[in-house]
Amino acid sequence: MDAKALQTINFSGFTRPEKFVGRTGLSLTRTGKPEMVRMRRRKIACSYNNIPASILESGGHKYPLEEELILKNKSQQIQPYLNGRCIYVVGMMGSGKTTVGKIMSQALSYSFCDCDTLIEEEVEGNSVADIFKLYGESFFRDRETEALRKMSLMHKFVISTGGGAVLRPINWKYMHKGVSVWLDVPVDALAKRIAAVGTNSRPLLHDEAGDAYTAALMRLSSLFEERGEFYANANARVSLENIAAKLGRRDASDLSPRAIAIEALEQVGNFLKAEDGGYAR
């Protein structure tokens, strides 16, 4: 089932007929008839052979074209082995799942879906933070599972999941119908990111005392202890510390989303290669 088949799926709770467009790149009506929003993509006609590894050191700011070439090269290598399967991006809050997922979807010519956005729109447009406050975490997790069930019927989607989606075994049943990728970001880097933008949209961080960074670091460390083993169930792991070491960077926070997406496609390719018993590069 491809993106067009979304029109056959009824997202419960959609009652008003107006449309919304979220981070997903999908236009969904509250009557339960999602539509695709046409997204402009840049086409590049060029040879991908002999692209130097040093290009990665650009960080995606000085040489975005070269990084795009690498992304397209890697996507072309793995697409025949993906065979239209969805890619589920998992990881801690603030790990960049939405940003990296969008880049991956563009490189693969896939559609993109953000599970949190689907849930928000289903619950009368309330934010995740408001859903937690009004209805509780269990209510949110139930709708998260239902969203993953529906998306598991799709093909050719990159799906960004919530940080706690890994906690339920049933969610892994749905995600393992595709290929799952864990963005493994150091906790201190996550704390810096979240402290810089605030915790208002992070319901699990609201009650922490102290300065923003320290509070985020303490709570994220606790969450990672609870969830780390579950993230490890993913088919592929993308370690930002490993990418930084490979590129000679001291701080994983300096990596561009494109550099992370390139590594994500590389790791997906490694998983597919092992699954297929090895394939020609």
Side-chain angles (χ1 to χ4, degrees):
M1 188 181 299
D2 58 19
K4 292 182 180 178
L6 273 172
Q7 295 182 358
T8 67
I9 291 184
N10 178 28
F11 286 82
S12 61
F14 285 47
T15 56
R16 293 200 296 267
E18 69 265 25
K19 295 180 180 179
F20 71 88
V21 179
R23 291 175 294 183
T24 62
L26 301 177
S27 175
L28 305 180
T29 68
R30 291 185 181 271
T31 60
K33 294 182 178 179
E35 301 172 358
M36 290 304 303
V37 174
R38 293 186 179 275
M39 301 177 68
R40 297 179 62 187
R41 294 191 180 94
R42 195 169 32 167
K43 293 184 178 180
I44 299 177
C46 177
S47 170
Y48 303 111
N49 296 328
N50 301 319
I51 298 176
S54 60
I55 287 172
L56 290 174
E57 298 180 8
S58 65
H61 301 292
K62 294 182 180 179
Y63 306 106
L65 177 60
E66 288 88 341
E67 284 191 333
E68 187 164 344
L69 292 176
I70 297 173
L71 283 166
K72 295 303 293 185
N73 185 29
K74 290 191 177 298
S75 68
Q76 289 180 346
Q77 290 176 357
I78 70 174
Q79 276 179 324
Y81 304 93
L82 268 175
N83 197 28
R85 280 179 288 177
C86 291
I87 294 177
Y88 295 85
V89 186
V90 304
M92 292 279 286
M93 65 178 77
S95 60
K97 299 184 293 292
T98 296
T99 302
V100 174
K102 285 182 177 180
I103 295 171
M104 293 175 68
S105 70
Q106 291 168 359
L108 291 165
S109 296
Y110 271 29
S111 299
F112 176 79
C113 174
D114 186 300
C115 271
D116 282 355
T117 297
L118 290 180
I119 297 166
E120 287 172 345
E121 295 302 327
E122 182 178 347
V123 188
E124 297 300 320
N126 286 300
S127 68
V128 171
D130 286 340
I131 294 171
F132 268 68
K133 182 178 179 180
L134 293 171
Y135 304 106
E137 183 175 359
S138 180
F139 176 92
F140 175 83
R141 297 299 174 200
D142 288 343
R143 273 136 191 85
E144 182 175 60
T145 295
E146 179 63 9
L148 289 170
R149 183 191 70 80
K150 291 170 179 175
M151 292 312 301
S152 72
L153 303 174
M154 300 291 103
H155 292 291
K156 295 188 176 182
F157 269 88
V158 174
I159 300 158
S160 172
T161 67
V166 298
L167 296 173
R168 289 187 174 183
I170 186 64
N171 293 347
W172 281 110
K173 175 184 175 181
Y174 298 136
M175 289 191 287
H176 279 157
K177 291 184 179 181
V179 178
S180 51
V181 181
W182 170 26
L183 299 188
D184 184 7
V185 183
V187 173
D188 62 329
L190 293 175
K192 290 176 184 177
R193 291 181 186 179
I194 292 174
V197 299
T199 62
N200 290 338
S201 64
R202 311 289 182 180
L204 295 181
L205 299 181
H206 282 177
D207 297 330
E208 294 299 315
D211 66 274
Y213 170 75
T214 301
L217 181 63
M218 292 179 62
R219 181 57 176 147
L220 289 169
S221 297
S222 176
L223 285 172
F224 185 76
E225 287 184 8
E226 298 171 6
R227 299 175 177 178
E229 63 180 300
F230 297 100
Y231 291 129
N233 287 324
N235 300 127
R237 172 175 173 259
V238 177
S239 168
L240 268 66
E241 288 185 329
N242 289 348
I243 302 173
K246 186 191 305 183
L247 300 179
R249 304 289 181 82
R250 293 184 177 181
D251 191 346
S253 300
D254 292 337
L255 298 173
S256 75
R258 286 180 178 271
I260 299 168
I262 288 169
E263 181 68 14
L265 291 176
E266 176 74 20
Q267 294 305 321
V268 169
N270 289 341
F271 166 73
L272 295 173
K273 182 178 180 179
E275 181 185 58
D276 193 56
Y279 61 80
R281 291 184 177 274

